[in-house]
Amino acid sequence: SKGVSSFGETPLFAAISKKSPTTVVSQLLSLNPSAAGVPDEMDQFPLHEAVAVKADEALIRALYDAYPDAAAEENRDGTIVEGFWTPITK
């Protein structure tokens, strides 16, 4: 599909996985907030990836706010964000 890599990654997901600067990832998120709800081919959401690469806490919060359901979604390996990340309280 348009805007998705051969790995099923949106530009937002790819930027997170490549550890792009937080400002770049934040800009991509602001341009397309719905991308936070698009998993890759491993059923991993941008929130999962951000936690896995130890992204900035503010970015993790922004991804969580954009698609909070990702925190309870399992990826293909059965991993859920709640299993290794406690949601930040407002």
Side-chain angles (χ1 to χ4, degrees):
S1 104
K2 187 176 181 184
V4 177
S5 76
S6 60
F7 298 108
E9 297 175 340
T10 62
L12 174 66
F13 195 104
I16 294 166
S17 68
K18 303 278 190 269
K19 298 183 182 180
S20 296
T22 299
T23 54
V24 171
V25 179
S26 295
Q27 183 67 23
L28 288 168
L29 181 60
S30 70
L31 290 170
N32 186 8
S34 64
V38 179
D40 71 355
E41 66 181 9
M42 296 297 293
D43 297 327
Q44 183 140 306
F45 286 87
L47 179 62
H48 291 116
E49 187 67 9
V51 170
V53 301
K54 297 177 175 43
D56 180 75
E57 188 175 298
L59 176 60
I60 291 171
R61 166 50 82 187
L63 290 165
Y64 178 82
D65 288 346
Y67 188 68
D69 290 347
E73 294 281 344
E74 287 186 9
N75 66 13
R76 194 170 293 166
D77 296 329
T79 303
I80 59 170
V81 172
E82 289 175 336
F84 56 94
W85 175 69
T86 303
I88 303 160
T89 56
K90 288 186 178 181

